[in-house]
Amino acid sequence: MNEEIKINKRPRRLRGTSSIRSLTQENHLNVRNFVYPLFIRTGKNQKIEVESMPDIYQFSIDQVMYEIEDLLKLNVDKFILFGIPDKKDEYGSNALSDNGIIQKSLVEIKKRFPEAFLITDLCMCEYTDHGHCGIIKNEELDNDATLEYLQKQAISHAKFGVDMIAPSGMIDGAVKYIRYALDSNMFKNLPIMSYSAKFASNFYGPFRYAAESAPQYGDRKSYQMSFSNRNEALKEVKIDIEEGADIIMVKPALSFLDIIRDVKNTVNVPIAAYNVSGEYSMVKAASKQNWIDENKIINEILTSIKRAGADIIISYFAKKYAKEINQK
Ligand SMILES: [Zn+2]
């Protein structure tokens, strides 16, 4: 009976039980590959929730210690620091000061938690009153004038004990100039993670509120990439690797999974993906309305970023994932 029916292709065989599903699962998240962003501000006893990003805070240095302590217990031990200075000016002077917010944070955190791996975001926009990522001349970002500034900022962070530098401004030549400055100042072994393919994205909105770094006029489209472009991302990544980037980054992540995969298929350095603030806030907002299952959505989003090819995931969800989702 039915001898003519021969169905040999049965992918469902591998989906029948949870055991066989876990046996054949292709991609796994590991909290050791996560980087958690921290916003640090001046002052004491400050823990201010970012209105546009529920459960994400700006901390003063004394308060960020409690946050780091919690995260280390969850095996989240890599952090990217964003400084919020009390004074901003045209040239972003606070970024280069020995008493700058990042410099002080590096010293204090390293003293208390030597095991914490600290990455610093290297850019001018958090420190300039105009909120742009470089030196401005005639309302235009002066690329080459900015390079020297980034060199000084990198050396300063290195002196104060940073573990990895992450230039984020999409300034042409930044990796080469920073690498040269670090090498000439005895920091040959300090790695650079470059924001190589950073798109001028609308998903950054909530972050700018968190880091108080919104441009006061104009936009960043003359230095960040158009979200319409794919080939250009590979060009940017290749240039950064030639200039000495140890790790390259694609930012944002979720609307750019194709770019992450393109890069994965093309280069052989570790790839970081930044699961940005807008991606975070959309999930939080929908979950507040009970329209989605927050933890399941977070797991799916983070796994999709990994599956696309990211080796490292920078995410505001890292803490929640490690606390509530991991191993479940
Ligand atoms: Zn910037």
Side-chain angles (χ1 to χ4, degrees), residues 164-190:
M164 184 153 74
I165 299 270
S168 64
M170 291 292 281
I171 306 300
D172 289 338
V175 173
K176 182 163 73 176
Y177 273 71
I178 292 167
R179 185 72 270 160
Y180 178 78
L182 292 174
D183 289 358
S184 328
N185 285 275
M186 315 278 284
F187 298 112
K188 281 192 173 66
N189 293 323
L190 190 61

Side-chain angles (χ1 to χ4, degrees), residues 52-68:
S52 53
M53 302 177 72
D55 304 329
I56 299 296
Y57 298 86
Q58 295 180 347
F59 297 98
S60 53
I61 294 176
D62 57 317
Q63 291 296 312
V64 85
M65 298 299 174
Y66 298 108
E67 181 77 349
I68 293 173

Side-chain angles (χ1 to χ4, degrees), residues 133-147:
C133 299
I135 305 284
I136 297 289
K137 285 188 186 147
N138 304 322
E139 300 212 348
E140 285 280 322
L141 192 149
D142 185 330
N143 191 87
D144 297 5
T146 303
L147 292 169

Side-chain angles (χ1 to χ4, degrees), residues 121 123-126 131-133 168-169 198 220 223-224:
D121 179 81
C123 199
M124 287 184 67
C125 53
E126 294 144 55
H132 280 283
C133 299
S168 64
K198 182 177 181 180
R220 295 185 174 137
Y223 37 106
Q224 296 175 356

